[in-house]
Amino acid sequence: MFQINDNYQKLPGSYLFSTIAKKVAAFSEANPDKTIIRLGIGDVTQPIAPAIIDAMHKAVDEMADAKTFRGYAPDLGYEFLRKAIADNDYKARGCDIEADEIFVSDGAKSDSGNIQEIFGADNRIAVCDPVYPVYVDSNVMAGRTGTYDAATGMWSNVIYMPCTRENNFVPEFPKETPDMIYLCLPNNPTGTTITKAQLQEWVDYANKVGAVIIYDGAYEAYISEDDVAHSIYECEGAKTCAIELKSFSKNAGFTGVRLGYTVVPKELKCGDVSLHSMWARRHGTKFNGAPYIIQRAGEAVYSEAGKAQLKEQIAYYMKNAKTIKSGLQETGFEVYGGVNAPYIWLKTPDSMTSWEFFDYLLEKANVVGTPGSGFGPSGEGYFRLTAFGSYENTVAALERIKAL
């Protein structure tokens, strides 16, 4: 008889945002007269910028002409997009990253889950706590995390780096030596980040102990402070210890069309084995390339018109973040984030658990957020709100919360 991957049976419950969706659907069915404002999932609401839409239309027309029709995309990405990424996201920032070190995909979520496949099952991972749940869940599926303790919400073979109010939600070097270190900066869910000097310390640490950093920079477009790195490759020595994941979802509104990329430098090796070559082999075997139409849209992100239009969209969302943060602070909430990321991280009131506050906010204010405990044990007692809604809904949600 066939057998299953038992590691999937170890996963507690369903994926965080699936659980939220089920709860909201049940509430809506029971209360059809209620208008729900969703500030939970990090999904954008502004339409794709005109310069990008124009590029997509042009690419669609090309697909209707035999002379310009494109079939399978190159599995590692079209050269025009990889070059645009290398020139704008790296060389313009002084980072020595070449186009052939960039692997185009259908999104950073896929890559963040898939990247662990090229590493041995005995590697120990270190994660910030709280953290984006895909990092841990994908390693659970691979059998790398040990056993789950429901009482603590922790896995026996995972090294947790608590990010709490006491350390300003900034990870500290773990007491145990990890093999793989996941860093998401600016952070999801807390919205906090670290200085370039602090990031350099992580690079130095990884090179010293022989660890690899999986660096998720999905929110780098929202950085507003000067002394914050937009890429880990701004740090000396990062090319020998770091893989970087980037997304077009949050900076360009591609949550519905899907596009991202991963950078694996050629210098990154395990002994004599090139991780660049390994990821190229995995990518080429399991992925048929992002669609031509979408890659042309990605190229337009780096056009002058695209840059200007996206700057306005990011400012729109950060205006929402400022509105939420200042409004909650005026109401007496303890609030963090909202400066370098479109997330607000707040302390739940009256000693409520994260899920108790979720239910309270949904039932009393008809506002949806994300329970902090869904991001890890240190997230208990906290709650995440996103700034990705419309400004009108953001203001309305804030007024509802203030009225509680």
Side-chain angles (χ1 to χ4, degrees):
M1 182 179 177
F2 69 87
Q3 297 182 349
I4 61 170
N5 180 348
D6 286 332
N7 294 314
Y8 278 71
Q9 303 301 106
K10 299 176 182 178
L11 290 164
S14 60
Y15 182 57
L16 171 62
F17 296 104
S18 299
T19 302
I20 291 172
K22 291 175 183 177
K23 278 180 166 281
V24 174
F27 180 84
S28 295
E29 185 176 351
N31 301 274
D33 57 319
K34 303 293 186 182
T35 301
I36 296 174
I37 299 178
R38 301 169 189 266
L39 300 180
I41 191 169
D43 195 3
V44 296
T45 54
Q46 294 297 295
I48 292 175
I52 299 170
I53 290 293
D54 288 345
M56 293 177 73
H57 280 303
K58 182 179 178 182
V60 168
D61 290 339
E62 289 182 48
M63 299 296 277
D65 188 331
K67 295 178 182 178
T68 52
F69 171 79
R70 307 289 183 110
Y72 285 124
D75 50 14
L76 306 185
Y78 281 102
E79 179 65 20
F80 62 77
L81 178 56
R82 297 168 88 189
K83 185 178 186 306
I85 292 169
D87 289 346
N88 289 274
D89 287 350
Y90 295 100
K91 294 187 186 301
R93 301 190 189 282
C95 303
D96 183 24
I97 296 295
E98 300 298 329
D100 63 358
E101 295 176 302
I102 295 165
F103 299 80
V104 177
S105 71
D106 61 355
K109 180 178 181 179
S110 300
D111 286 351
S112 64
N114 294 333
I115 195 68
Q116 53 78 28
E117 290 186 21
I118 66 174
F119 296 98
D122 293 334
N123 284 341
R124 291 199 69 187
I125 68 167
V127 296
C128 296
D129 174 29
V131 76
Y132 184 46
V134 171
Y135 309 150
V136 174
D137 287 359
S138 58
N139 278 283
V140 174
M141 295 171 181
R144 199 175 281 118
T145 56
T147 56
Y148 182 70
D149 186 338
T152 62
M154 301 173 77
W155 293 89
S156 62
N157 206 39
V158 172
I159 299 171
Y160 291 88
M161 301 182 291
C163 300
T164 64
R165 175 172 45 183
E166 288 69 32
N167 62 11
N168 296 314
F169 302 100
V170 171
E172 299 171 354
F173 297 134
K175 293 181 174 62
E176 300 176 84
T177 302
D179 302 297
M180 301 160 62
I181 303 168
Y182 285 83
L183 294 179
C184 176
L185 298 165
N187 183 261
N188 176 18
T190 66
T192 56
T193 192
I194 60 179
T195 66
K196 290 181 182 179
Q198 288 174 310
L199 185 57
Q200 181 66 60
E201 291 177 359
W202 277 100
V203 169
D204 294 342
Y205 170 80
N207 277 317
K208 178 182 177 181
V209 302
V212 62
I213 296 174
I214 312 298
Y215 190 81
D216 187 344
Y219 300 94
E220 67 84 16
Y222 292 86
I223 293 172
S224 63
E225 296 178 322
D226 293 334
D227 195 25
V228 176
H230 287 257
S231 167
I232 195 168
Y233 301 117
E234 293 179 40
C235 297
E236 184 178 351
K239 294 181 70 175
T240 58
C241 71
I243 293 172
E244 184 162 278
L245 315 174
K246 288 285 186 73
S247 169
F248 287 80
S249 289
K250 305 307 193 294
N251 68 322
F254 278 31
T255 53
V257 296
R258 309 305 305 147
L259 191 65
Y261 66 87
T262 290
V263 178
V264 186
K266 293 175 183 176
E267 290 97 320
L268 182 55
K269 296 181 179 181
C270 179
D272 295 328
V273 179
S274 165
L275 270 65
H276 179 276
S277 297
M278 288 186 70
W279 184 243
R281 186 68 170 86
R282 188 266 172 211
H283 205 64
T285 300
K286 294 191 174 185
F287 186 61
N288 260 344
Y292 172 72
I293 296 166
I294 306 305
Q295 292 199 50
R296 281 297 186 192
E299 180 188 32
V301 166
Y302 300 104
S303 67
E304 290 306 311
K307 290 178 182 178
Q309 291 162 9
L310 294 181
K311 185 177 180 180
E312 291 181 3
Q313 285 197 354
I314 289 167
Y316 179 94
Y317 291 131
M318 291 310 289
K319 178 183 178 183
N320 288 350
K322 184 177 180 180
T323 299
I324 297 171
K325 184 171 186 176
S326 60
L328 291 176
Q329 286 175 329
E330 291 169 5
T331 310
F333 282 90
E334 185 179 316
V335 188
Y336 304 90
V339 176
N340 293 301
Y343 292 125
I344 304 299
W345 187 243
L346 61 102
K347 189 83 177 69
T348 57
D350 304 322
S351 299
M352 287 186 184
T353 67
S354 300
W355 280 106
E356 285 173 348
F357 188 64
F358 174 89
D359 292 334
Y360 176 73
L361 210 58
L362 178 59
E363 293 169 7
K364 302 299 182 182
N366 309 145
V367 172
V368 177
T370 308
S373 60
F375 298 100
S378 290
E380 181 56 85
Y382 288 88
F383 202 76
R384 192 192 76 174
L385 294 174
T386 85
F388 285 124
S390 69
Y391 180 70
E392 293 74 19
N393 278 348
T394 297
V395 172
L398 191 58
E399 292 305 314
R400 293 183 187 182
I401 295 172
K402 286 182 176 181
L404 293 175

